[in-house]
PDB file of all heavy atoms in Angstrom:
ATOM      1  N   THR A1446     215.778 -16.421  11.957  1.00  0.00           N
ATOM      2  CA  THR A1446     215.783 -15.094  12.549  1.00  0.00           C
ATOM      3  C   THR A1446     217.188 -14.511  12.463  1.00  0.00           C
ATOM      4  O   THR A1446     218.169 -15.236  12.371  1.00  0.00           O
ATOM      5  CB  THR A1446     215.311 -15.134  14.019  1.00  0.00           C
ATOM      6  OG1 THR A1446     216.157 -16.007  14.750  1.00  0.00           O
ATOM      7  CG2 THR A1446     213.868 -15.599  14.117  1.00  0.00           C
ATOM      8  N   VAL A1447     217.233 -13.201  12.496  1.00  0.00           N
ATOM      9  CA  VAL A1447     218.485 -12.469  12.341  1.00  0.00           C
ATOM     10  C   VAL A1447     218.975 -12.044  13.729  1.00  0.00           C
ATOM     11  O   VAL A1447     218.184 -11.540  14.535  1.00  0.00           O
ATOM     12  CB  VAL A1447     218.261 -11.227  11.450  1.00  0.00           C
ATOM     13  CG1 VAL A1447     219.523 -10.394  11.336  1.00  0.00           C
ATOM     14  CG2 VAL A1447     217.731 -11.640  10.087  1.00  0.00           C
ATOM     15  N   PRO A1448     220.260 -12.221  14.039  1.00  0.00           N
ATOM     16  CA  PRO A1448     220.772 -11.752  15.331  1.00  0.00           C
ATOM     17  C   PRO A1448     220.592 -10.240  15.481  1.00  0.00           C
ATOM     18  O   PRO A1448     220.804  -9.483  14.526  1.00  0.00           O
ATOM     19  CB  PRO A1448     222.259 -12.116  15.290  1.00  0.00           C
ATOM     20  CG  PRO A1448     222.380 -13.163  14.240  1.00  0.00           C
ATOM     21  CD  PRO A1448     221.304 -12.891  13.243  1.00  0.00           C
ATOM     22  N   VAL A1449     220.206  -9.804  16.664  1.00  0.00           N
ATOM     23  CA  VAL A1449     220.004  -8.378  16.940  1.00  0.00           C
ATOM     24  C   VAL A1449     221.276  -7.582  16.632  1.00  0.00           C
ATOM     25  O   VAL A1449     221.206  -6.435  16.198  1.00  0.00           O
ATOM     26  CB  VAL A1449     219.548  -8.171  18.403  1.00  0.00           C
ATOM     27  CG1 VAL A1449     219.560  -6.706  18.787  1.00  0.00           C
ATOM     28  CG2 VAL A1449     218.158  -8.765  18.609  1.00  0.00           C
ATOM     29  N   GLU A1450     222.420  -8.198  16.802  1.00  0.00           N
ATOM     30  CA  GLU A1450     223.695  -7.513  16.544  1.00  0.00           C
ATOM     31  C   GLU A1450     223.832  -7.060  15.089  1.00  0.00           C
ATOM     32  O   GLU A1450     224.657  -6.207  14.784  1.00  0.00           O
ATOM     33  CB  GLU A1450     224.878  -8.422  16.916  1.00  0.00           C
ATOM     34  CG  GLU A1450     224.977  -8.733  18.398  1.00  0.00           C
ATOM     35  CD  GLU A1450     223.981  -9.791  18.874  1.00  0.00           C
ATOM     36  OE1 GLU A1450     223.408 -10.531  18.047  1.00  0.00           O
ATOM     37  OE2 GLU A1450     223.760  -9.863  20.093  1.00  0.00           O
ATOM     38  N   GLU A1451     223.027  -7.606  14.195  1.00  0.00           N
ATOM     39  CA  GLU A1451     223.056  -7.215  12.781  1.00  0.00           C
ATOM     40  C   GLU A1451     222.076  -6.087  12.452  1.00  0.00           C
ATOM     41  O   GLU A1451     221.993  -5.638  11.309  1.00  0.00           O
ATOM     42  CB  GLU A1451     222.749  -8.420  11.891  1.00  0.00           C
ATOM     43  CG  GLU A1451     223.803  -9.499  11.918  1.00  0.00           C
ATOM     44  CD  GLU A1451     223.486 -10.652  10.989  1.00  0.00           C
ATOM     45  OE1 GLU A1451     222.686 -10.471  10.035  1.00  0.00           O
ATOM     46  OE2 GLU A1451     224.035 -11.742  11.210  1.00  0.00           O
ATOM     47  N   ALA A1452     221.323  -5.620  13.444  1.00  0.00           N
ATOM     48  CA  ALA A1452     220.264  -4.639  13.185  1.00  0.00           C
ATOM     49  C   ALA A1452     220.805  -3.343  12.583  1.00  0.00           C
ATOM     50  O   ALA A1452     220.243  -2.816  11.613  1.00  0.00           O
ATOM     51  CB  ALA A1452     219.486  -4.355  14.466  1.00  0.00           C
ATOM     52  N   ASP A1453     221.877  -2.814  13.133  1.00  0.00           N
ATOM     53  CA  ASP A1453     222.447  -1.564  12.629  1.00  0.00           C
ATOM     54  C   ASP A1453     222.830  -1.707  11.157  1.00  0.00           C
ATOM     55  O   ASP A1453     222.461  -0.869  10.322  1.00  0.00           O
ATOM     56  CB  ASP A1453     223.663  -1.181  13.475  1.00  0.00           C
ATOM     57  CG  ASP A1453     224.326   0.096  12.993  1.00  0.00           C
ATOM     58  OD1 ASP A1453     223.882   1.186  13.388  1.00  0.00           O
ATOM     59  OD2 ASP A1453     225.301  -0.009  12.210  1.00  0.00           O
ATOM     60  N   ALA A1454     223.548  -2.756  10.823  1.00  0.00           N
ATOM     61  CA  ALA A1454     223.988  -2.972   9.438  1.00  0.00           C
ATOM     62  C   ALA A1454     222.798  -3.153   8.505  1.00  0.00           C
ATOM     63  O   ALA A1454     222.812  -2.667   7.366  1.00  0.00           O
ATOM     64  CB  ALA A1454     224.922  -4.174   9.358  1.00  0.00           C
ATOM     65  N   ARG A1455     221.773  -3.851   8.966  1.00  0.00           N
ATOM     66  CA  ARG A1455     220.582  -4.067   8.130  1.00  0.00           C
ATOM     67  C   ARG A1455     219.879  -2.753   7.817  1.00  0.00           C
ATOM     68  O   ARG A1455     219.484  -2.505   6.677  1.00  0.00           O
ATOM     69  CB  ARG A1455     219.616  -5.037   8.813  1.00  0.00           C
ATOM     70  CG  ARG A1455     220.133  -6.454   8.955  1.00  0.00           C
ATOM     71  CD  ARG A1455     220.181  -7.152   7.590  1.00  0.00           C
ATOM     72  NE  ARG A1455     220.653  -8.508   7.700  1.00  0.00           N
ATOM     73  CZ  ARG A1455     219.912  -9.579   7.487  1.00  0.00           C
ATOM     74  NH1 ARG A1455     218.663  -9.457   7.133  1.00  0.00           N
ATOM     75  NH2 ARG A1455     220.440 -10.780   7.607  1.00  0.00           N
ATOM     76  N   LEU A1456     219.694  -1.896   8.838  1.00  0.00           N
ATOM     77  CA  LEU A1456     219.030  -0.614   8.589  1.00  0.00           C
ATOM     78  C   LEU A1456     219.871   0.252   7.653  1.00  0.00           C
ATOM     79  O   LEU A1456     219.348   0.869   6.725  1.00  0.00           O
ATOM     80  CB  LEU A1456     218.741   0.126   9.895  1.00  0.00           C
ATOM     81  CG  LEU A1456     218.054   1.490   9.730  1.00  0.00           C
ATOM     82  CD1 LEU A1456     216.759   1.387   8.920  1.00  0.00           C
ATOM     83  CD2 LEU A1456     217.792   2.119  11.091  1.00  0.00           C
ATOM     84  N   ARG A1457     221.164   0.287   7.866  1.00  0.00           N
ATOM     85  CA  ARG A1457     222.037   1.080   6.991  1.00  0.00           C
ATOM     86  C   ARG A1457     221.961   0.601   5.538  1.00  0.00           C
ATOM     87  O   ARG A1457     221.917   1.410   4.607  1.00  0.00           O
ATOM     88  CB  ARG A1457     223.476   1.044   7.490  1.00  0.00           C
ATOM     89  CG  ARG A1457     223.690   1.836   8.760  1.00  0.00           C
ATOM     90  CD  ARG A1457     225.128   1.713   9.277  1.00  0.00           C
ATOM     91  NE  ARG A1457     225.260   2.292  10.588  1.00  0.00           N
ATOM     92  CZ  ARG A1457     225.442   3.591  10.830  1.00  0.00           C
ATOM     93  NH1 ARG A1457     225.534   4.436   9.812  1.00  0.00           N
ATOM     94  NH2 ARG A1457     225.551   4.039  12.062  1.00  0.00           N
ATOM     95  N   ALA A1458     221.959  -0.711   5.333  1.00  0.00           N
ATOM     96  CA  ALA A1458     221.883  -1.262   3.975  1.00  0.00           C
ATOM     97  C   ALA A1458     220.545  -0.920   3.318  1.00  0.00           C
ATOM     98  O   ALA A1458     220.504  -0.542   2.140  1.00  0.00           O
ATOM     99  CB  ALA A1458     222.097  -2.778   4.011  1.00  0.00           C
ATOM    100  N   LEU A1459     219.458  -1.039   4.073  1.00  0.00           N
ATOM    101  CA  LEU A1459     218.141  -0.701   3.523  1.00  0.00           C
ATOM    102  C   LEU A1459     218.058   0.785   3.180  1.00  0.00           C
ATOM    103  O   LEU A1459     217.527   1.156   2.132  1.00  0.00           O
ATOM    104  CB  LEU A1459     217.037  -1.084   4.509  1.00  0.00           C
ATOM    105  CG  LEU A1459     216.791  -2.575   4.685  1.00  0.00           C
ATOM    106  CD1 LEU A1459     215.943  -2.839   5.924  1.00  0.00           C
ATOM    107  CD2 LEU A1459     216.124  -3.149   3.435  1.00  0.00           C
ATOM    108  N   LEU A1460     218.602   1.629   4.043  1.00  0.00           N
ATOM    109  CA  LEU A1460     218.582   3.073   3.785  1.00  0.00           C
ATOM    110  C   LEU A1460     219.425   3.419   2.561  1.00  0.00           C
ATOM    111  O   LEU A1460     219.014   4.224   1.725  1.00  0.00           O
ATOM    112  CB  LEU A1460     219.067   3.841   5.013  1.00  0.00           C
ATOM    113  CG  LEU A1460     219.024   5.363   4.903  1.00  0.00           C
ATOM    114  CD1 LEU A1460     217.606   5.860   4.634  1.00  0.00           C
ATOM    115  CD2 LEU A1460     219.586   5.991   6.176  1.00  0.00           C
ATOM    116  N   ALA A1461     220.577   2.789   2.433  1.00  0.00           N
ATOM    117  CA  ALA A1461     221.432   3.043   1.260  1.00  0.00           C
ATOM    118  C   ALA A1461     220.719   2.629  -0.026  1.00  0.00           C
ATOM    119  O   ALA A1461     220.754   3.354  -1.022  1.00  0.00           O
ATOM    120  CB  ALA A1461     222.754   2.300   1.401  1.00  0.00           C
ATOM    121  N   ALA A1462     220.069   1.484  -0.007  1.00  0.00           N
ATOM    122  CA  ALA A1462     219.355   1.001  -1.202  1.00  0.00           C
ATOM    123  C   ALA A1462     218.193   1.926  -1.546  1.00  0.00           C
ATOM    124  O   ALA A1462     217.993   2.271  -2.721  1.00  0.00           O
ATOM    125  CB  ALA A1462     218.857  -0.421  -0.976  1.00  0.00           C
ATOM    126  N   GLU A1463     217.433   2.344  -0.551  1.00  0.00           N
ATOM    127  CA  GLU A1463     216.298   3.247  -0.802  1.00  0.00           C
ATOM    128  C   GLU A1463     216.781   4.617  -1.264  1.00  0.00           C
ATOM    129  O   GLU A1463     216.185   5.225  -2.147  1.00  0.00           O
ATOM    130  CB  GLU A1463     215.438   3.402   0.454  1.00  0.00           C
ATOM    131  CG  GLU A1463     214.543   2.242   0.742  1.00  0.00           C
ATOM    132  CD  GLU A1463     213.424   2.064  -0.282  1.00  0.00           C
ATOM    133  OE1 GLU A1463     213.016   3.033  -0.956  1.00  0.00           O
ATOM    134  OE2 GLU A1463     212.968   0.916  -0.410  1.00  0.00           O
ATOM    135  N   SER A1464     217.856   5.109  -0.670  1.00  0.00           N
ATOM    136  CA  SER A1464     218.373   6.432  -1.026  1.00  0.00           C
ATOM    137  C   SER A1464     218.890   6.465  -2.458  1.00  0.00           C
ATOM    138  O   SER A1464     218.792   7.487  -3.134  1.00  0.00           O
ATOM    139  CB  SER A1464     219.487   6.841  -0.060  1.00  0.00           C
ATOM    140  OG  SER A1464     218.968   6.978   1.240  1.00  0.00           O
ATOM    141  N   ALA A1465     219.419   5.340  -2.928  1.00  0.00           N
ATOM    142  CA  ALA A1465     219.940   5.281  -4.301  1.00  0.00           C
ATOM    143  C   ALA A1465     218.826   5.410  -5.327  1.00  0.00           C
ATOM    144  O   ALA A1465     219.038   5.951  -6.402  1.00  0.00           O
ATOM    145  CB  ALA A1465     220.698   3.968  -4.510  1.00  0.00           C
ATOM    146  N   GLY A1466     217.632   4.955  -4.979  1.00  0.00           N
ATOM    147  CA  GLY A1466     216.535   5.003  -5.939  1.00  0.00           C
ATOM    148  C   GLY A1466     215.492   6.051  -5.631  1.00  0.00           C
ATOM    149  O   GLY A1466     214.445   6.087  -6.263  1.00  0.00           O
ATOM    150  N   GLN A1467     215.745   6.917  -4.663  1.00  0.00           N
ATOM    151  CA  GLN A1467     214.734   7.868  -4.204  1.00  0.00           C
ATOM    152  C   GLN A1467     215.346   9.254  -4.058  1.00  0.00           C
ATOM    153  O   GLN A1467     216.371   9.411  -3.422  1.00  0.00           O
ATOM    154  CB  GLN A1467     214.197   7.381  -2.851  1.00  0.00           C
ATOM    155  CG  GLN A1467     213.182   8.238  -2.182  1.00  0.00           C
ATOM    156  CD  GLN A1467     211.926   8.455  -2.987  1.00  0.00           C
ATOM    157  OE1 GLN A1467     211.693   9.563  -3.449  1.00  0.00           O
ATOM    158  NE2 GLN A1467     211.153   7.427  -3.187  1.00  0.00           N
ATOM    159  N   GLN A1468     214.699  10.243  -4.633  1.00  0.00           N
ATOM    160  CA  GLN A1468     215.200  11.614  -4.546  1.00  0.00           C
ATOM    161  C   GLN A1468     214.923  12.248  -3.192  1.00  0.00           C
ATOM    162  O   GLN A1468     215.691  13.071  -2.730  1.00  0.00           O
ATOM    163  CB  GLN A1468     214.544  12.456  -5.641  1.00  0.00           C
ATOM    164  CG  GLN A1468     214.799  11.929  -7.016  1.00  0.00           C
ATOM    165  CD  GLN A1468     215.606  12.896  -7.830  1.00  0.00           C
ATOM    166  OE1 GLN A1468     215.579  14.091  -7.598  1.00  0.00           O
ATOM    167  NE2 GLN A1468     216.342  12.395  -8.792  1.00  0.00           N
ATOM    168  N   ASP A1469     213.835  11.866  -2.536  1.00  0.00           N
ATOM    169  CA  ASP A1469     213.433  12.475  -1.271  1.00  0.00           C
ATOM    170  C   ASP A1469     214.004  11.675  -0.102  1.00  0.00           C
ATOM    171  O   ASP A1469     213.619  10.522   0.108  1.00  0.00           O
ATOM    172  CB  ASP A1469     211.907  12.515  -1.196  1.00  0.00           C
ATOM    173  CG  ASP A1469     211.395  13.197   0.051  1.00  0.00           C
ATOM    174  OD1 ASP A1469     212.166  13.387   1.007  1.00  0.00           O
ATOM    175  OD2 ASP A1469     210.199  13.544   0.066  1.00  0.00           O
ATOM    176  N   PRO A1470     214.929  12.262   0.672  1.00  0.00           N
ATOM    177  CA  PRO A1470     215.542  11.533   1.783  1.00  0.00           C
ATOM    178  C   PRO A1470     214.544  11.055   2.842  1.00  0.00           C
ATOM    179  O   PRO A1470     214.724   9.995   3.436  1.00  0.00           O
ATOM    180  CB  PRO A1470     216.524  12.539   2.392  1.00  0.00           C
ATOM    181  CG  PRO A1470     216.763  13.532   1.306  1.00  0.00           C
ATOM    182  CD  PRO A1470     215.512  13.588   0.503  1.00  0.00           C
ATOM    183  N   LEU A1471     213.484  11.828   3.091  1.00  0.00           N
ATOM    184  CA  LEU A1471     212.485  11.422   4.077  1.00  0.00           C
ATOM    185  C   LEU A1471     211.737  10.185   3.599  1.00  0.00           C
ATOM    186  O   LEU A1471     211.552   9.222   4.350  1.00  0.00           O
ATOM    187  CB  LEU A1471     211.509  12.565   4.377  1.00  0.00           C
ATOM    188  CG  LEU A1471     210.367  12.224   5.333  1.00  0.00           C
ATOM    189  CD1 LEU A1471     210.909  11.765   6.692  1.00  0.00           C
ATOM    190  CD2 LEU A1471     209.427  13.411   5.484  1.00  0.00           C
ATOM    191  N   VAL A1472     211.320  10.184   2.361  1.00  0.00           N
ATOM    192  CA  VAL A1472     210.607   9.019   1.806  1.00  0.00           C
ATOM    193  C   VAL A1472     211.525   7.802   1.816  1.00  0.00           C
ATOM    194  O   VAL A1472     211.096   6.692   2.157  1.00  0.00           O
ATOM    195  CB  VAL A1472     210.072   9.326   0.388  1.00  0.00           C
ATOM    196  CG1 VAL A1472     209.513   8.076  -0.281  1.00  0.00           C
ATOM    197  CG2 VAL A1472     209.005  10.416   0.459  1.00  0.00           C
ATOM    198  N   ALA A1473     212.788   7.984   1.477  1.00  0.00           N
ATOM    199  CA  ALA A1473     213.743   6.873   1.515  1.00  0.00           C
ATOM    200  C   ALA A1473     213.858   6.317   2.932  1.00  0.00           C
ATOM    201  O   ALA A1473     213.849   5.094   3.132  1.00  0.00           O
ATOM    202  CB  ALA A1473     215.112   7.331   1.010  1.00  0.00           C
ATOM    203  N   ALA A1474     213.953   7.190   3.933  1.00  0.00           N
ATOM    204  CA  ALA A1474     214.060   6.736   5.325  1.00  0.00           C
ATOM    205  C   ALA A1474     212.794   6.012   5.762  1.00  0.00           C
ATOM    206  O   ALA A1474     212.871   4.968   6.435  1.00  0.00           O
ATOM    207  CB  ALA A1474     214.340   7.925   6.239  1.00  0.00           C
ATOM    208  N   LEU A1475     211.638   6.521   5.386  1.00  0.00           N
ATOM    209  CA  LEU A1475     210.375   5.863   5.762  1.00  0.00           C
ATOM    210  C   LEU A1475     210.263   4.482   5.127  1.00  0.00           C
ATOM    211  O   LEU A1475     209.879   3.514   5.796  1.00  0.00           O
ATOM    212  CB  LEU A1475     209.179   6.741   5.369  1.00  0.00           C
ATOM    213  CG  LEU A1475     209.034   8.055   6.137  1.00  0.00           C
ATOM    214  CD1 LEU A1475     207.962   8.925   5.501  1.00  0.00           C
ATOM    215  CD2 LEU A1475     208.738   7.808   7.611  1.00  0.00           C
ATOM    216  N   HIS A1476     210.598   4.368   3.856  1.00  0.00           N
ATOM    217  CA  HIS A1476     210.553   3.065   3.181  1.00  0.00           C
ATOM    218  C   HIS A1476     211.549   2.091   3.806  1.00  0.00           C
ATOM    219  O   HIS A1476     211.220   0.926   4.048  1.00  0.00           O
ATOM    220  CB  HIS A1476     210.833   3.207   1.700  1.00  0.00           C
ATOM    221  CG  HIS A1476     209.709   3.806   0.926  1.00  0.00           C
ATOM    222  ND1 HIS A1476     209.805   4.124  -0.402  1.00  0.00           N
ATOM    223  CD2 HIS A1476     208.452   4.162   1.284  1.00  0.00           C
ATOM    224  CE1 HIS A1476     208.672   4.644  -0.826  1.00  0.00           C
ATOM    225  NE2 HIS A1476     207.835   4.683   0.180  1.00  0.00           N
ATOM    226  N   ALA A1477     212.769   2.571   4.038  1.00  0.00           N
ATOM    227  CA  ALA A1477     213.790   1.699   4.627  1.00  0.00           C
ATOM    228  C   ALA A1477     213.355   1.221   6.009  1.00  0.00           C
ATOM    229  O   ALA A1477     213.501   0.033   6.335  1.00  0.00           O
ATOM    230  CB  ALA A1477     215.127   2.443   4.719  1.00  0.00           C
ATOM    231  N   PHE A1478     212.805   2.115   6.810  1.00  0.00           N
ATOM    232  CA  PHE A1478     212.410   1.726   8.162  1.00  0.00           C
ATOM    233  C   PHE A1478     211.237   0.751   8.135  1.00  0.00           C
ATOM    234  O   PHE A1478     211.207  -0.196   8.931  1.00  0.00           O
ATOM    235  CB  PHE A1478     212.063   2.944   9.022  1.00  0.00           C
ATOM    236  CG  PHE A1478     211.843   2.573  10.455  1.00  0.00           C
ATOM    237  CD1 PHE A1478     212.932   2.354  11.299  1.00  0.00           C
ATOM    238  CD2 PHE A1478     210.568   2.401  10.971  1.00  0.00           C
ATOM    239  CE1 PHE A1478     212.745   1.974  12.614  1.00  0.00           C
ATOM    240  CE2 PHE A1478     210.373   2.032  12.287  1.00  0.00           C
ATOM    241  CZ  PHE A1478     211.463   1.816  13.115  1.00  0.00           C
ATOM    242  N   SER A1479     210.290   0.958   7.243  1.00  0.00           N
ATOM    243  CA  SER A1479     209.155   0.023   7.202  1.00  0.00           C
ATOM    244  C   SER A1479     209.624  -1.371   6.790  1.00  0.00           C
ATOM    245  O   SER A1479     209.116  -2.371   7.308  1.00  0.00           O
ATOM    246  CB  SER A1479     208.037   0.539   6.289  1.00  0.00           C
ATOM    247  OG  SER A1479     208.441   0.571   4.947  1.00  0.00           O
ATOM    248  N   ASP A1480     210.612  -1.468   5.910  1.00  0.00           N
ATOM    249  CA  ASP A1480     211.191  -2.774   5.568  1.00  0.00           C
ATOM    250  C   ASP A1480     211.991  -3.337   6.750  1.00  0.00           C
ATOM    251  O   ASP A1480     211.918  -4.529   7.048  1.00  0.00           O
ATOM    252  CB  ASP A1480     212.105  -2.662   4.344  1.00  0.00           C
ATOM    253  CG  ASP A1480     211.333  -2.414   3.055  1.00  0.00           C
ATOM    254  OD1 ASP A1480     210.102  -2.616   3.028  1.00  0.00           O
ATOM    255  OD2 ASP A1480     211.976  -1.995   2.072  1.00  0.00           O
ATOM    256  N   PHE A1481     212.740  -2.482   7.420  1.00  0.00           N
ATOM    257  CA  PHE A1481     213.543  -2.876   8.576  1.00  0.00           C
ATOM    258  C   PHE A1481     212.654  -3.442   9.696  1.00  0.00           C
ATOM    259  O   PHE A1481     213.009  -4.421  10.355  1.00  0.00           O
ATOM    260  CB  PHE A1481     214.330  -1.660   9.060  1.00  0.00           C
ATOM    261  CG  PHE A1481     215.121  -1.851  10.314  1.00  0.00           C
ATOM    262  CD1 PHE A1481     216.202  -2.728  10.348  1.00  0.00           C
ATOM    263  CD2 PHE A1481     214.813  -1.135  11.460  1.00  0.00           C
ATOM    264  CE1 PHE A1481     216.950  -2.890  11.512  1.00  0.00           C
ATOM    265  CE2 PHE A1481     215.558  -1.288  12.613  1.00  0.00           C
ATOM    266  CZ  PHE A1481     216.626  -2.171  12.645  1.00  0.00           C
ATOM    267  N   ALA A1482     211.513  -2.824   9.899  1.00  0.00           N
ATOM    268  CA  ALA A1482     210.613  -3.240  10.978  1.00  0.00           C
ATOM    269  C   ALA A1482     210.050  -4.639  10.749  1.00  0.00           C
ATOM    270  O   ALA A1482     209.610  -5.293  11.694  1.00  0.00           O
ATOM    271  CB  ALA A1482     209.472  -2.237  11.124  1.00  0.00           C
ATOM    272  N   LEU A1483     210.072  -5.111   9.515  1.00  0.00           N
ATOM    273  CA  LEU A1483     209.527  -6.438   9.206  1.00  0.00           C
ATOM    274  C   LEU A1483     210.552  -7.557   9.347  1.00  0.00           C
ATOM    275  O   LEU A1483     210.202  -8.732   9.262  1.00  0.00           O
ATOM    276  CB  LEU A1483     208.939  -6.437   7.795  1.00  0.00           C
ATOM    277  CG  LEU A1483     207.758  -5.477   7.591  1.00  0.00           C
ATOM    278  CD1 LEU A1483     207.326  -5.474   6.131  1.00  0.00           C
ATOM    279  CD2 LEU A1483     206.601  -5.823   8.515  1.00  0.00           C
ATOM    280  N   ILE A1484     211.812  -7.219   9.584  1.00  0.00           N
ATOM    281  CA  ILE A1484     212.847  -8.245   9.760  1.00  0.00           C
ATOM    282  C   ILE A1484     212.607  -8.951  11.087  1.00  0.00           C
ATOM    283  O   ILE A1484     212.361  -8.325  12.117  1.00  0.00           O
ATOM    284  CB  ILE A1484     214.258  -7.620   9.729  1.00  0.00           C
ATOM    285  CG1 ILE A1484     214.533  -7.004   8.351  1.00  0.00           C
ATOM    286  CG2 ILE A1484     215.322  -8.664  10.079  1.00  0.00           C
ATOM    287  CD1 ILE A1484     215.826  -6.205   8.270  1.00  0.00           C
ATOM    288  N   ASP A1485     212.693 -10.261  11.063  1.00  0.00           N
ATOM    289  CA  ASP A1485     212.468 -11.079  12.245  1.00  0.00           C
ATOM    290  C   ASP A1485     213.797 -11.270  12.983  1.00  0.00           C
ATOM    291  O   ASP A1485     214.589 -12.136  12.634  1.00  0.00           O
ATOM    292  CB  ASP A1485     211.871 -12.425  11.835  1.00  0.00           C
ATOM    293  CG  ASP A1485     211.419 -13.249  13.012  1.00  0.00           C
ATOM    294  OD1 ASP A1485     211.299 -12.705  14.127  1.00  0.00           O
ATOM    295  OD2 ASP A1485     211.171 -14.458  12.822  1.00  0.00           O
TER     296      ASP A1485
END
């Protein structure tokens, strides 16, 4: 499991990765958040 203290950095990294490959910022945020929500 991942320490809760890493949650902010994890979401930011997922959003950056999705934003780099996605033209639509909303779709990038939705994809990043759905991946973020699955982190244990």
Side-chain angles (χ1 to χ4, degrees):
T1446 58
V1447 176
V1449 170
E1450 294 77 17
E1451 293 182 21
D1453 179 85
R1455 293 289 181 112
L1456 180 55
R1457 289 177 189 277
L1459 289 166
L1460 183 59
E1463 283 292 335
S1464 296
Q1467 178 60 249
Q1468 301 244 334
D1469 183 344
L1471 176 59
V1472 172
L1475 293 171
H1476 286 174
F1478 188 79
S1479 67
D1480 289 344
F1481 175 66
L1483 297 175
I1484 296 173
D1485 189 15

